[in-house]
Amino acid sequence: MGPAPVPPVTEIGSRDTVLQTAFCDYVPQVFRRADFRHWREWGEWDDDYRAFALFEDGRVVANTSVMRMRLRMDGREVPAFQLGAVGCIPSHRGKGLSRVVMDAALEACGDTPVLLFANPRVREYYPRFGFQPWLQTLFAAEHEAVPEGPPAPTLDLEDAKVRARFAALSREGHPSTERFGARGYSTVASWHFANSFARPLRQLGPDTWVSASVEGDTLHLDDIFTREPFDLRASLPRLIDRPIRSIRFGFTPERWWPGAVEAGEDTEADLFVRGLTPSREAHRFPVLAHT
């Protein structure tokens, strides 16, 4: 007898609440720390996010998700898609199911450029689908500062009004980088906050929010969401609770800190691209824009 027939791929959209529940049950079986339940409860699953899943007996056994993105590449806006939640539950691996959902997701993307971030352990998998790896660079700066002025308050995305303001700021504000980044990715960033993966979101002004925290004597600045340019250097004392001697950036800081230097390769997640040529200059795609 031949192999059992593969069921058709099911697309899960923003209104498919029953199917979303099955998807949320699938995720922690494949990704130990990830969860979509809280993010979904926040109402962040919108029409830009679609999951292409294989079901068996009412449960998702394999999946590839597609997120619509508005990339910024050397100052240009480029429509694209980012893949995420790619995998298969352990009991069903080795049957070619991941390829089935990958093919379905990529067919839905058509000729639009696609990117994804993958665990380094599976870096041999994605070139089979036409993806190529692309170097991501870490950026740092030596800078001494001490706490001064009123501390920037922390914002809570549990509050629906805060999430709405965050979405508008992400959509309408200045991208953190023009070299290789994105805009309007608040629903991607909110997933990181919903999972407690992101650094605190701090408010420097009504329309200037940053994701940042201090570890040791280093300020980790993961992202900036703002409607207007501002003096980041002068604002740093409000973001720190102890003296610092250096800064690490979660994005390419050419706009905010031109003197930042390259500090090695980002090896935590491998970037793969298809139909896309990112900037030839050193860059780091914003960490809060990773699906």
Side-chain angles (χ1 to χ4, degrees):
M1 296 178 63
V6 177
V9 174
T10 298
E11 180 178 337
I12 306 174
S14 62
R15 297 167 182 82
D16 302 320
T17 56
V18 174
L19 300 182
Q20 288 175 8
T21 298
F23 169 84
C24 289
D25 291 339
Y26 148 84
V27 170
Q29 297 180 65
V30 181
F31 309 97
R32 287 181 296 176
R33 298 177 58 223
D35 202 308
F36 276 75
R37 294 179 179 88
H38 203 39
W39 179 79
R40 177 193 173 206
E41 291 168 0
W42 280 357
E44 296 291 272
W45 189 322
D46 61 16
D47 290 340
D48 286 340
Y49 191 83
R50 295 176 291 162
F52 294 84
L54 285 174
F55 280 78
E56 182 181 279
D57 298 328
R59 61 175 180 156
V60 174
V61 296
N63 180 83
T64 296
S65 294
V66 175
M67 170 66 83
R68 187 180 302 276
M69 302 292 295
R70 296 165 58 193
L71 300 184
R72 299 294 296 179
M73 295 176 54
D74 292 324
R76 299 176 294 112
E77 186 156 312
V78 178
F81 290 105
Q82 185 175 182
L83 303 189
V86 180
C88 182
I89 65 174
S91 61
H92 284 62
R93 290 172 184 164
K95 301 179 180 180
L97 302 185
S98 292
R99 172 173 285 278
V100 173
V101 288
M102 274 290 291
D103 286 341
L106 291 173
E107 182 178 357
C109 294
D111 295 330
T112 303
V114 185
L115 72 153
L116 62 88
F117 286 87
N119 187 308
R121 291 178 298 178
V122 295
R123 58 167 53 105
E124 303 299 325
Y125 180 67
Y126 294 103
R128 305 174 192 175
F129 298 92
F131 286 90
Q132 60 176 321
W134 206 272
L135 177 68
Q136 295 289 278
T137 301
L138 299 174
F139 292 91
E142 297 298 317
H143 180 73
E144 295 189 5
V146 296
E148 185 178 352
T154 300
L155 295 155
D156 188 356
L157 287 182
E158 291 282 356
D159 186 331
K161 293 181 180 179
V162 173
R163 293 198 301 274
R165 290 178 60 194
F166 184 47
L169 196 56
S170 174
R171 183 174 61 249
E172 301 164 6
H174 289 273
S176 54
T177 173
E178 294 282 359
R179 193 172 294 174
F180 181 49
R183 76 185 315 155
Y185 53 90
S186 65
T187 56
V188 181
S190 67
W191 181 87
H192 292 271
F193 288 105
N195 279 273
S196 299
F197 293 159
R199 300 182 189 278
L201 190 60
R202 311 283 297 281
Q203 184 175 19
L204 287 172
D207 292 321
T208 299
W209 299 4
V210 300
S211 173
S213 66
V214 177
E215 294 181 13
D217 60 1
T218 298
L219 172 65
H220 293 262
L221 186 60
D222 279 354
D223 216 329
I224 296 175
F225 304 90
T226 185
R227 292 186 189 273
E228 300 294 337
F230 69 100
D231 189 340
L232 175 61
R233 188 180 297 259
S235 300
L236 290 186
R238 297 185 56 210
L239 293 173
I240 59 179
D241 59 359
R242 73 197 80 163
I244 63 165
R245 301 181 65 182
S246 63
I247 307 170
R248 290 273 179 167
F249 299 91
F251 55 93
T252 315
E254 86 285 354
R255 164 179 280 157
W256 300 105
W257 208 281
V261 299
E262 297 177 27
E265 179 183 350
D266 183 0
T267 58
E268 290 190 5
D270 289 353
L271 170 65
F272 288 86
V273 296
R274 188 174 106 151
L276 187 67
T277 303
S279 175
R280 295 291 179 179
E281 295 186 79
H283 60 263
R284 187 182 191 191
F285 195 72
V287 294
L288 293 188
H290 293 202
T291 61

